[in-house]
Amino acid sequence: MPLNAGSMRRIQRRTSVRLREPSRICIFPAEKAEELTACDKSAIEKLSKHIAEIRKDVQEMVNARKDANRIESEREKAIAYHDNVVPKMEAIRYHIDKLELMVDNEMWPLPKYREMLFIR
């Protein structure tokens, strides 16, 4: 069942966050819950921003590669890669590096770039 803005507000007013501990239940009002979750929301927004940028840059890089691969001259193709593809790869790398710092090692299934540099 889809929720509209009015029903979302009613739910927010009525709900509170309950933290269960072995000995007692602590109940926070919705305003306090908002304050307590602000940090999590900020982190989720940052993650989402980086992921969206990665998706956009990957698509742009793929298109730039397709354009460069249509060029017959190897020299001109190399220039197109240098001017159009490499900057997109650097942009993708920037956002991936930021995500690597934000995501816990246990949840990051791949070796991180800084780890690959020092693997013997």
Side-chain angles (χ1 to χ4, degrees):
M1 163 184 359
L3 297 174
N4 60 31
S7 61
M8 288 297 291
R9 281 191 295 276
R10 282 192 299 278
I11 291 170
Q12 288 172 347
R13 281 194 304 266
R14 284 186 280 160
T15 59
S16 60
V17 176
R18 292 186 179 112
L19 300 177
R20 295 188 184 271
E21 296 179 2
S23 61
R24 67 178 201 270
I25 297 175
C26 299
I27 300 175
F28 296 101
E31 300 79 31
K32 184 69 174 175
E34 184 71 28
E35 177 185 327
L36 294 172
T37 61
C39 182
D40 293 335
K41 287 181 183 180
S42 174
I44 291 169
E45 288 170 359
K46 287 178 185 176
L47 286 168
S48 296
K49 177 185 160 218
H50 289 298
I51 291 168
E53 288 296 320
I54 291 167
R55 287 183 176 146
K56 177 184 71 77
D57 289 338
V58 165
Q59 189 57 49
E60 290 175 3
M61 182 190 68
V62 168
N63 292 336
R65 286 185 62 226
K66 287 179 182 178
D67 293 342
N69 288 335
R70 287 191 207 106
I71 298 172
E72 295 294 324
S73 165
E74 293 301 317
R75 182 179 192 291
E76 295 299 318
K77 186 184 290 190
I79 291 170
Y81 263 82
H82 176 270
D83 293 345
N84 302 323
V85 177
V86 171
K88 290 298 167 194
M89 293 173 80
E90 290 171 351
I92 294 166
R93 164 83 191 280
Y94 170 81
H95 293 290
I96 294 291
D97 287 347
K98 293 295 182 185
L99 286 176
E100 284 181 350
L101 295 173
M102 296 173 72
V103 176
D104 186 67
N105 287 339
E106 297 295 320
M107 297 185 73
W108 193 271
L110 303 171
K112 295 184 177 187
Y113 185 76
R114 65 183 179 275
E115 295 169 347
M116 289 190 292
L117 290 175
F118 301 105
I119 292 176
R120 295 184 188 249

